[in-house]
Amino acid sequence: MAQMNFGGVIENVVTREEFPLEKAREVLKNETIAVIGYGVQGPGQSLNLRDNGFNVIVGQRKGKTWDKAVADGWVPGETLFEIEEACQRATIIQYLLSDAAQIEVWPRIKPYLTAGKALYFSHGFAITYKERTHIIPPKDIDVIMIAPKGSGTSLRRMFLQGRGLNSSYAIYQDATGKAFDRTIALGIGVGSGYLFETTFKKEVYSDLTGERGTLMGAIQGLLLAQYETLREHGHEPSEAFNETVEELTQSLMPLFAEKGMDWMYANCSTTAQRGALDWMGPFHDAVKPVFEKLYHEVEVGNEAQRSIDTNSQPDYREKLNEELRQLRESEMWRAGAVVRTLRPENN
């Protein structure tokens, strides 16, 4: 484990150089890893583990996702099983169902968590809010986490490109004395670029805040506010979308990602630089109270409870699809669909 300086703060980080794939395989050579769930994280993590040479099986209910697993090469009765049988066969159970499904399926999982096994999460939700989820693991197993900082689709895509997606890791319970090595080996196995230390609580607080904030919720609200302002002042949809979304995602974000915000600023016009530096303060002051309120709602469990209550409703999927339809069919994103067809790579 290396200590890295992040803006003056020292953090524990594990890289693939100090914990190579060969070491990870050696640590887990006698383990059977069962990936439970084949939805968001399941495919990417299980396929990466399989391609990296680990003994991995998938546990999934029969239906569309079962068929998807079969299409991905998992063989019923050999590497693909019903959830209970997969858990029985496993020494490490990767619990990668959605938060709501984890609550529902937990009574079926718990009997197979026998002494010495490991229970693995990719999100701190179930354990942090255990009074609400009622997911309380036995004391004689390891409880660990690898949380890739992106979707399972991104994890798989970057793996196939020979790259890695950074992940956080945490150990909630070390019953065997092997939890650290098991955790890091799994992190390397699923395709992490590097691993940084956290706790279950910090992971879920930052994750829920990020999803509702700059990663998804805030960015849509910010983009829509600017798009609407331009449209209300007479700008056409194409111009409003290009200035709001297309230039951000296709031109500026790659610069931002490459070397940071200052470098992106340095590679823009002096007019853009001056305006950005002058206006970042007012935007910060306007949204900081919203982020403080958001973090408080996450910290006290209100966001978790809303998620549990909503996702457990029988018509949740229908309501979600309707909300997504409205978003998809809004003028801004209808304009975006047209703009994407005009990109050079599509012509």
Side-chain angles (χ1 to χ4, degrees):
M1 183 190 303
Q3 290 192 321
M4 302 293 290
N5 189 326
F6 290 88
V9 178
I10 304 300
E11 295 187 35
N12 292 327
V13 169
V14 181
T15 68
R16 290 192 279 188
E17 286 71 27
E18 61 184 302
F19 205 110
L21 182 58
E22 293 75 18
K23 181 177 180 179
R25 290 195 191 109
E26 178 65 23
V27 168
L28 300 179
K29 65 181 179 181
N30 297 320
E31 305 267 22
T32 298
I33 306 162
V35 174
I36 306 303
Y38 209 73
V40 177
Q41 282 288 337
Q45 294 201 32
S46 61
L47 291 170
N48 291 358
L49 284 165
R50 184 178 73 182
D51 288 354
N52 271 333
F54 294 88
N55 181 22
V56 58
I57 60 178
V58 171
Q60 177 59 45
R61 291 170 287 195
K62 289 186 176 179
K64 288 184 179 180
T65 47
W66 174 281
D67 296 339
K68 182 179 185 301
V70 172
D72 284 344
W74 301 100
V75 181
E78 294 182 17
T79 55
L80 176 61
F81 303 92
E82 293 276 1
I83 290 174
E84 290 87 346
E85 185 172 356
C87 290
Q88 184 176 28
R89 290 171 174 265
T91 58
I92 298 173
I93 296 173
Q94 293 194 196
Y95 204 29
L96 300 184
L97 296 167
S98 69
D99 294 327
Q102 285 184 12
I103 297 170
E104 177 191 346
V105 175
W106 178 248
R108 295 160 53 192
I109 294 283
K110 192 172 181 180
Y112 301 100
L113 293 172
T114 52
K117 288 192 177 186
L119 178 62
Y120 166 115
F121 294 89
S122 282
H123 190 23
F125 190 99
I127 296 298
T128 301
Y129 301 114
K130 58 184 179 295
E131 293 82 7
R132 300 168 189 266
T133 65
H134 305 294
I135 295 177
I136 302 174
K139 295 294 185 183
D140 54 3
I141 67 167
D142 294 341
V143 181
I144 62 180
M145 178 174 66
I146 295 292
K149 297 299 104 180
S151 69
T153 301
S154 298
L155 182 73
R156 181 61 176 166
R157 182 187 300 121
M158 293 175 74
F159 176 85
L160 293 174
Q161 294 170 349
R163 302 160 62 201
L165 182 65
N166 302 331
S167 302
S168 60
Y169 73 91
I171 298 169
Y172 178 76
Q173 193 168 278
D174 183 3
T176 66
K178 302 184 298 181
F180 178 81
D181 281 352
R182 274 174 148 177
T183 303
I184 303 304
L186 288 163
I188 298 299
V190 301
S192 302
Y194 72 83
L195 298 147
F196 60 93
E197 188 176 25
T198 188
T199 66
F200 275 64
K201 182 179 289 187
K202 285 182 178 179
E203 191 283 331
V204 73
Y205 285 6
S206 61
D207 188 75
L208 293 184
T209 300
E211 288 170 349
R212 286 147 180 78
T214 58
L215 301 179
M216 297 174 70
I219 193 66
Q220 166 63 16
L222 190 66
L223 295 176
L224 183 60
Q226 178 170 303
Y227 180 87
E228 288 176 341
T229 299
L230 291 173
R231 289 288 290 123
E232 289 161 5
H233 286 271
H235 298 267
E236 299 303 322
S238 177
E239 183 171 58
F241 187 86
N242 272 278
E243 291 292 349
T244 300
V245 179
E246 194 74 353
E247 187 172 352
L248 171 70
T249 59
Q250 303 304 300
S251 175
L252 297 181
M253 278 300 174
L255 299 179
F256 182 10
E258 186 177 348
K259 292 186 180 179
M261 184 68 78
D262 63 320
W263 196 74
M264 185 261 277
Y265 279 16
N267 284 273
C268 294
S269 71
T270 55
T271 302
Q273 292 168 0
R274 185 68 269 146
L277 292 167
D278 288 346
W279 279 91
M280 66 181 184
F283 275 108
H284 168 272
D285 295 346
V287 302
K288 181 69 184 297
V290 180
F291 277 101
E292 291 288 357
K293 180 180 179 180
L294 167 58
Y295 192 88
H296 173 75
E297 289 294 289
V298 170
E299 189 174 34
V300 299
N302 291 342
E303 278 298 304
Q305 193 61 54
R306 275 192 285 271
S307 179
I308 292 169
D309 292 344
T310 303
N311 294 350
S312 59
Q313 292 176 2
D315 59 349
Y316 164 70
R317 183 58 58 179
E318 290 79 7
K319 289 181 177 178
L320 173 65
N321 288 337
E322 174 57 22
E323 289 183 274
L324 294 177
R325 183 195 66 78
Q326 292 177 21
L327 183 62
R328 181 176 62 252
E329 295 180 5
S330 66
E331 185 190 273
M332 183 172 76
W333 291 112
R334 282 189 286 117
V338 176
V339 169
R340 286 192 292 275
T341 67
L342 298 174
R343 290 176 184 164
E345 66 266 24
N346 295 325
N347 292 287

